[in-house]
Amino acid sequence: DVYASGMLADDPPGYPVRYADLERKGKEALSEEAAAYVAGGAGTESTVAENRRAFDDWRIVPRMLRDVAERDLQVDLFGDEIEVPFLLAPLGVLSIVHDEGELAVARAAADRDVPMVLSSASSYTMEEVADELGETPKWFQLYWSADPDIAHSFIDRAESAEYDGIVVTLDTPLLGWRERDIEQGYLPFLDGKGVANYFSDPAFRDRLDVPPEENEGSAVMEFIDIFGDPSLTWDDLAALREETDLPLVVKGVLHPEDAERAVECGADGVIVSNHGGRQVDGAIGALSALPSVVEAVDVPVLFDSGIRGGADVVKAIALGADSVLLGRPYAYGLVIDGEAGVGSVLDDFLADLDLTLALSGHTSFDELDRSMLVDRRGPG
Ligand code: FNR
């Protein structure tokens, strides 16, 4: 097993192991506005807290003496064997966290066969990140631009760069009411470097009177103006489906009827997520939304928003998720030490989930189902 587990974990001295320490150290190392961007949520941030609380509704009932010496962390996703039961969630504008941004993340992911979902708002171009990922599974997250030419161009580029799938984010046609960001003057760090993937895009450049290199400020304003489209409907999703043969997964679904609708429009998978509590304050905790979505559709269901350790992965998969996505934890690893920091977060996460799988009496994630959990709220 390539993952040093438990007592053998070999984090450099001073690296945080607990999530609370990772978050604290990460925030300390960032400017106030960058820390607000990573940690912040919508409104009072009640949904950020609710995402964590929802995990407490479920408790694992471990089973004993079942020979757990040999374990396999692989999961099947869209017909491919994936080495680990999680992917890296798309996080935009990572240059504000670390100079090497998404390139450092991709290197750490590729070293460990951890699939990565790259944000539209990447600080490096999707072609540069694809080069770093090589054969590691890679998906491109589409922010569905108000300019259809940009959406088409992103999909064409993702196909040419051999991404394995498109994740279209449905919950962000507009940015949420993020009070910390608003107080800081909203994304004061946003510059051309931050959204290089847009600045390199031919369709985006076509919209501008002068190239972004000549007037960075107005190009950034243009990006803010067109990155999302609040007029989109389900018919548009059906049309988008026709545009590519790549697997198409929708991200940000919380209602079972939306999941059904997405599948009717041709989506190959659904990600249950509330964007880490960054969009609708007061929204349902993402884990609370998972069981009804799993019940509603037959396609793969993935999950994010609040995953912090191995037990969270076990609970989400036992509740019917096919895989999960890791978000803020790896961003803090990136702050602390670039590629090595992300690597340490991933190694610890892998060791924790491997141990939790074994100690709950299982040897593969396929074996997990709801019968291994109790609902501590009681029946009914
Ligand atoms: C995000 N998320 C996000 N999602 C997306 O589809 N495109 C994006 O560009 C971003 N950018 C982004 C930046 C930052 C700093 C954060 C924290 C989140 C949402 C992300 O993919 C995922 O849904 C959440 O991060 C899950 O919540 P936790 O587990 O990180 O709290």
Side-chain angles (χ1 to χ4, degrees):
D1 198 336
V2 294
Y3 311 119
S5 65
M7 295 171 75
L8 300 177
D10 57 357
D11 283 330
Y15 266 46
V17 177
R18 287 179 296 170
Y19 180 71
D21 293 338
L22 190 62
E23 187 182 34
R24 183 176 46 75
K25 286 208 170 187
K27 278 155 77 175
E28 277 167 14
L30 288 171
S31 67
E32 206 181 330
E33 64 265 21
Y37 167 66
V38 177
T44 63
E45 304 184 344
S46 69
T47 297
V48 178
E50 177 65 10
N51 282 340
R52 286 301 303 150
R53 199 216 51 78
F55 280 94
D56 269 343
D57 287 341
W58 299 96
R59 312 301 298 184
I60 298 164
V61 186
R63 305 297 302 273
M64 304 299 136
L65 296 179
R66 305 206 326 180
D67 185 359
V68 294
E70 299 287 329
R71 294 164 318 265
D72 180 356
L73 302 184
Q74 286 190 346
V75 291
D76 183 85
L77 212 52
F78 303 113
D80 288 329
E81 285 294 327
I82 308 284
E83 295 301 319
V84 296
F86 70 100
L87 304 86
L88 298 187
L91 305 182
V93 204
L94 287 181
S95 65
I96 66 145
V97 164
H98 191 279
D99 258 1
E100 288 165 27
E102 295 81 0
L103 296 184
V105 175
R107 289 178 194 129
D111 264 1
R112 295 161 180 81
D113 291 324
V114 173
M116 176 168 175
V117 185
L118 181 72
S119 169
S120 276
S122 170
S123 309
Y124 287 87
T125 67
M126 68 171 103
E127 292 79 9
E128 290 168 315
V129 178
D131 279 349
E132 294 295 341
L133 285 166
E135 296 301 303
T136 310
K138 47 188 177 297
W139 296 11
F140 178 72
Q141 176 266 325
L142 180 70
Y143 270 144
W144 198 333
S145 174
D147 180 342
D149 290 347
I150 296 177
H152 300 173
S153 172
F154 276 176
I155 290 175
D156 287 348
R157 288 172 59 195
E159 288 176 349
S160 305
E162 298 186 352
Y163 279 79
D164 300 296
I166 303 286
V167 171
V168 51
T169 298
L170 304 184
D171 61 17
T172 314
L174 304 159
L175 273 191
W177 178 253
R178 300 183 191 165
E179 297 181 350
R180 298 200 217 188
D181 285 339
I182 294 163
E183 277 171 6
Q184 304 286 343
Y186 230 102
L187 309 184
F189 48 80
L190 201 57
D191 58 12
K193 186 166 183 252
V195 289
N197 189 52
Y198 281 84
F199 279 27
S200 71
D201 188 76
F204 179 77
R205 298 176 73 92
D206 272 354
R207 293 181 60 83
L208 306 172
D209 296 334
V210 294
E213 295 74 25
E214 281 172 35
N215 190 342
E216 185 171 326
S218 81
V220 167
M221 291 312 292
E222 191 67 15
F223 156 75
I224 292 172
D225 221 29
I226 55 81
F227 91 94
D229 180 358
S231 77
L232 291 167
T233 68
W234 292 105
D235 290 340
D236 297 304
L237 182 65
L240 185 76
R241 164 71 289 181
E242 297 303 312
E243 257 188 59
T244 177
D245 293 331
L246 289 176
L248 185 75
V249 176
V250 294
K251 175 169 180 283
V253 167
L254 296 167
H255 196 294
E257 285 171 15
D258 283 353
E260 282 168 9
R261 198 75 194 266
V263 174
E264 280 163 23
C265 294
D268 299 294
V270 173
I271 304 179
V272 173
S273 164
N274 58 27
H275 213 105
R278 296 161 76 82
Q279 288 298 91
V280 177
D281 188 27
I284 182 172
L287 195 73
S288 308
L290 178 62
S292 61
V293 170
V294 167
E295 185 103 341
V297 295
D298 283 332
V299 297
V301 175
L302 290 87
F303 170 86
D304 78 32
S305 297
I307 294 281
R308 300 291 178 261
D312 304 332
V313 183
V314 166
K315 288 180 187 178
I317 293 182
L319 288 173
D322 291 87
S323 185
V324 304
L325 292 86
L326 186 69
R328 288 184 177 98
Y330 85 77
Y332 292 124
L334 181 63
V335 177
I336 289 166
D337 198 11
E339 177 188 344
V342 176
S344 151
V345 167
L346 297 183
D347 288 342
D348 287 353
F349 189 67
L350 280 160
D352 177 12
L353 66 83
D354 175 47
L355 286 170
T356 307
L357 180 74
L359 295 173
S360 44
H362 298 278
T363 57
S364 93
F365 283 89
D366 297 343
E367 294 170 11
L368 309 188
D369 64 29
R370 206 156 159 168
S371 69
M372 71 179 291
L373 302 178
V374 289
D375 182 341
R376 72 194 295 227
R377 296 159 297 179

